[in-house]
């Protein structure tokens, strides 16, 4: 009965059935959270874990049928590794290798040249969650003096039960599209600690509805404009026949539209977490209650920042924080910040999939971010450029900067979304590799501009630092 109904709904909406199932599942998180608040908030932890496990597994079965065994197997293996290997570095390495190998194997055997919604989509979210669990379990056995504040907050003092790990893994607010959160946060949710009124469900309905409304608006924007900016247009003779400026502007507008696909899902899912209480983040500096613990998007920053680093910092926040916490900062022993950054970005590329487009996208991110930092340092250290940036001309400069920002933000997204070598190479060839040329030129030119625009004294002081 459900299958024909979903087919009809898919046809009426003009969207693929897996996409319709996914968005419905994200939306079902709201009634799940309401049921939790109404009937399970005061229940014993075992009952709450069972509720989260059953609701999450039901959503997994609705989307992927019997293929939910992939996630179930990984959860079981993770639990057994922690129980049998204990709080050792072997547990962490075994978890990392197994979860990533399983995920990459899934990518390899299910990969197509299109963006498909299949069991590997929530699996990539789960892989990070379980690897992070092994790190937190390991940190719980270390001397507190050896841990930073972030690690102390996430470290597990006790061994979790299998039911607890299952409830944590399949929690309806984060299983399908994220966000990432720690087992310690989940434990606080189950204990009823994540609330602004102790002993009672949180007053989070209005904050949750605000995120839901914003997510719904983003989804509507994507639904309206995405048919006009399809990925497939890049591979047509019509696109090749357009003037160079048109092809570049198309990349800019396409990038803005395509990212709303991710923004809408993340913001709606964040609303679920807020409604349940998982999004509670204590009191702010002004004493107001904060609900951004599970924020995966800073939408206002995302829309207004003229900086590449600003967009990156406001997009997929929890995943970036996870990589910073468990990859970048854990590589401190290398003694080379640049090498740690390269390794973290390489991990992100591999985590996304096996297509060459992911590697090219994150290699471009590395280049763009470092060139932008050099440019920011140049503006900061040059009296002339500083005066210009603070002059009445700044609104015009801002518009130009935004145009360049979004043009070249879309540039690395082309291989990210087109996946394969033959596709992204065709697009880059049609615009003469302008992004590569632009940033490599800046990389070479900025040091010479520093010699001209930055006083010798300033350059000497920076060199000594």
């Amino acid at each position: 009965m459900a299958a024909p109904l979903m087919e009809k709904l898919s046809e009426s909406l003009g969207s693929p059935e897996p996409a319709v199932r996914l968005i419905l599942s994200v939306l079902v998180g709201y009634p799940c959270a309401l049921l939790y608040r109404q009937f399970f908030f005061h229940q014993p932890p075992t009952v709450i874990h069972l509720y989260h496990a059953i609701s999450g597994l039901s959503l997994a079965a609705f989307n992927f049928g019997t293929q939910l065994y992939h996630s179930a197997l990984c959860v079981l293996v993770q639990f057994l590794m922690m129980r049998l290997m204990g709080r050792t570095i072997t547990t962490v390495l075994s978890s990392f290798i197994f979860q990533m190998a399983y995920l990459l194997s899934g990518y390899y055997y299910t990969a197509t040249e299109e963006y498909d919604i299949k069991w590997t989509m929530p699996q990539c979210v789960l892989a990070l969650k379980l690897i992070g669990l092994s790190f937190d379990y390991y940190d719980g056995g270390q001397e507190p003096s050896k841990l930073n504040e972030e690690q102390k907050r996430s470290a597990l003092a006790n061994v979790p039960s299998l039911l607890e790990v299952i409830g944590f893994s399949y929690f309806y607010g984060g299983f399908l599209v994220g966000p990432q959160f720690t087992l310690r946060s989940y434990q606080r949710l189950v204990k009823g600690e994540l609330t602004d009124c102790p002993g009672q469900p949180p007053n989070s309905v209005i904050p949750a509805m605000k995120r839901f409304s914003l997510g719904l608006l983003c989804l509507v924007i994507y639904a309206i404009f995405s048919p006009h900016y399809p990925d497939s247009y890049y591979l047509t003779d019509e696109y090749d026949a357009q003037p160079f400026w048109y092809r570049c502007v198309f990349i800019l507008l396409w990038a803005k539209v395509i990212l709303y696909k991710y923004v809408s899902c993340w913001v709606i899912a964040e609303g679920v977490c807020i409604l349940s209480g998982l999004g509670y983040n204590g009191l702010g500096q002004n004493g107001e209650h904060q609900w951004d613990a599970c924020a995966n998007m800073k939408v206002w920053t995302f829309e207004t920042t003229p900086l590449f680093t600003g967009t990156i910092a406001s997009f997929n926040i929890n995943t970036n924080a996870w990589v910073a916490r468990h990859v970048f900062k854990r590589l401190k022993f290398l003694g080379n910040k640049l090498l740690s950054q390269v390794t973290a970005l390489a991990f992100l590329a591999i985590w996304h999939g096996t297509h060459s487009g992911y590697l090219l996208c994150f290699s471009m991110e590395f280049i763009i971010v470092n060139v932008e930092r050099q440019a920011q340092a140049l503006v900061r250290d040059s009296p002339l450029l500083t005066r210009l940036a603070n002059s009445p001309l700044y609104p015009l400069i801002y518009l130009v900067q935004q145009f360049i920002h979004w043009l070249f933000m879309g540039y690395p997204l082309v291989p990210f979304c087109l996946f394969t070598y033959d596709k992204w190479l065709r697009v880059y060839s049609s615009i003469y590799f302008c992004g590569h040329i632009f940033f490599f030129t800046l990389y070479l030119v900025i040091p010479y501009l520093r010699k001209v625009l930055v006083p010798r004294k300033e350059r000497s002081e920076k060199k000594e630092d």
Side-chain angles (χ1 to χ4, degrees):
M1 181 66 182
L5 180 62
M6 290 305 304
E7 289 177 6
K8 290 180 181 179
L9 183 59
S10 174
E11 290 176 5
S12 63
L13 294 174
S15 297
E17 185 178 331
V20 175
R21 287 179 179 270
L22 175 64
I23 193 63
L24 285 177
S25 299
V26 175
L27 292 173
V28 163
Y30 286 89
C32 286
L34 288 173
L35 285 173
Y36 164 70
R37 292 165 57 95
Q38 185 68 30
F39 300 107
F40 294 95
F41 186 85
H42 298 289
Q43 295 297 319
T46 300
V47 176
I48 297 175
H49 295 320
L50 195 60
Y51 170 68
H52 290 158
I54 292 173
S55 55
L57 283 166
S58 299
L59 291 177
F62 175 66
N63 282 272
F64 311 109
T66 58
Q67 290 185 330
L68 70 83
Y69 79 84
H70 292 291
S71 59
L73 175 62
C74 289
V75 171
L76 178 60
V77 170
Q78 182 66 49
F79 172 76
L80 291 175
M81 283 192 291
M82 291 190 299
R83 279 300 178 95
L84 298 177
M85 297 180 183
R87 300 178 188 271
T88 63
I89 194 66
T90 303
T91 304
V92 175
L93 292 175
S94 298
S95 172
F96 194 97
I97 293 170
F98 174 79
Q99 301 297 349
M100 287 302 296
Y102 200 99
L103 177 63
L104 293 176
S105 298
Y107 285 148
Y108 178 79
Y109 287 108
T110 65
T112 66
E113 294 187 2
E114 303 294 334
Y115 183 83
D116 300 317
I117 296 176
K118 46 188 179 292
W119 66 267
T120 54
M121 186 197 67
Q123 190 70 28
C124 71
V125 177
L126 181 64
L128 294 191
K129 191 179 291 186
L130 295 178
I131 293 170
L133 176 60
S134 69
F135 274 109
D136 297 337
Y137 182 62
Y138 171 77
D139 289 341
Q142 305 304 302
E143 289 293 330
S145 59
K146 296 180 179 180
L147 305 177
N148 59 38
E149 291 303 316
E150 194 173 36
Q151 291 169 340
K152 289 177 183 177
R153 288 195 299 270
S154 303
L156 295 171
N158 302 308
V159 182
S161 67
L162 176 59
L163 185 59
E164 188 174 22
V165 173
I166 294 173
F168 161 70
S169 301
Y170 286 100
F171 176 69
Y172 46 83
F175 170 67
L176 289 170
V177 296
Q180 293 292 330
F181 53 89
T182 65
L183 181 58
R184 280 287 296 275
S185 295
Y186 174 76
Q187 289 173 335
R188 293 188 64 201
L189 173 72
V190 172
K191 292 178 182 178
E193 297 176 359
L194 295 181
T195 177
D196 56 337
C197 43
Q200 298 297 324
N203 295 308
S204 58
V205 174
I206 292 178
M209 289 303 101
K210 287 181 179 179
R211 299 309 280 178
F212 170 75
S213 301
L214 180 59
L216 197 61
L217 174 63
C218 294
L219 185 62
V220 170
I221 292 173
Y222 174 74
I224 292 173
F225 291 101
S226 60
H228 301 288
Y229 298 95
D231 301 351
S232 57
Y233 183 64
Y234 283 120
L235 307 176
T236 63
D237 294 335
E238 182 182 349
Y239 176 78
D240 293 336
Q242 299 293 344
F244 173 74
W245 68 266
Y246 182 95
R247 282 172 269 164
C248 291
V249 171
F250 182 87
I251 290 177
L252 183 153
L253 297 175
W254 166 84
K256 288 291 291 183
V257 171
I258 197 69
L259 288 176
Y260 275 108
K261 175 171 62 177
Y262 305 99
V263 174
S264 58
C265 287
W266 289 335
V267 175
I268 292 173
E270 181 193 343
V272 175
C273 294
I274 293 172
L275 189 59
S276 68
L278 190 65
Y280 184 64
N281 201 22
L283 296 176
Q285 293 181 348
N286 298 323
E288 76 284 6
H289 294 287
Q290 300 180 114
W291 303 96
D292 59 353
C294 293
N296 222 9
M297 283 295 307
K298 295 179 180 177
V299 179
W300 179 252
T301 302
F302 174 78
E303 292 293 347
T304 59
T305 180
L307 301 175
F308 296 98
T309 48
T311 298
I312 293 169
S314 64
F315 187 83
N316 206 0
I317 297 170
N318 279 283
T319 299
N320 292 334
W322 188 99
V323 174
R325 184 167 67 249
H326 296 304
V327 180
F328 181 79
K329 293 179 182 179
R330 301 276 179 171
L331 294 175
K332 188 177 181 180
F333 67 90
L334 295 175
N336 188 314
K337 192 173 182 179
L338 194 63
L339 182 57
S340 297
Q341 184 185 4
V342 170
T343 305
L345 288 173
F347 171 80
L348 268 175
I350 295 170
W351 173 71
H352 275 91
T354 56
H355 292 298
S356 61
Y358 295 125
L359 287 171
L360 187 62
C361 172
F362 286 99
S363 64
M364 278 300 301
E365 178 183 323
F366 174 79
I367 294 168
I368 290 171
V369 165
N370 283 282
V371 169
E372 182 176 75
R373 286 172 179 166
Q374 291 178 7
Q376 286 179 289
L378 174 63
V379 173
R380 184 181 63 246
D381 297 339
S382 167
L384 174 63
L385 295 180
T386 299
R387 286 197 300 272
L388 187 62
N390 295 322
S391 72
L393 290 174
Y394 180 72
L396 178 60
I397 296 172
Y398 174 83
L399 291 176
V400 174
Q401 193 176 2
Q402 275 288 26
F403 179 83
I404 295 172
H405 165 219
W406 275 108
L407 173 61
F408 293 113
M409 182 59 67
Y411 190 83
L413 280 176
V414 170
F416 185 92
C417 294
L418 296 185
F419 302 138
T420 58
Y421 173 84
D422 57 322
K423 292 181 180 179
W424 57 255
L425 182 61
R426 174 175 174 172
V427 179
Y428 278 170
S429 299
S430 71
I431 53 174
Y432 315 113
F433 293 90
C434 62
H436 291 79
I437 294 171
F438 180 77
F439 285 101
F440 278 115
T441 301
L442 285 179
Y443 180 78
L444 296 173
V445 168
I446 288 175
Y448 291 99
L449 290 177
R450 286 190 66 85
K451 292 180 181 180
V452 175
L453 298 173
V454 179
R456 185 184 297 273
K457 180 182 178 182
E458 291 286 337
R459 296 203 308 270
S460 299
E461 289 177 356
K462 293 295 177 182
K463 190 173 182 181
E464 290 175 4
D465 290 342

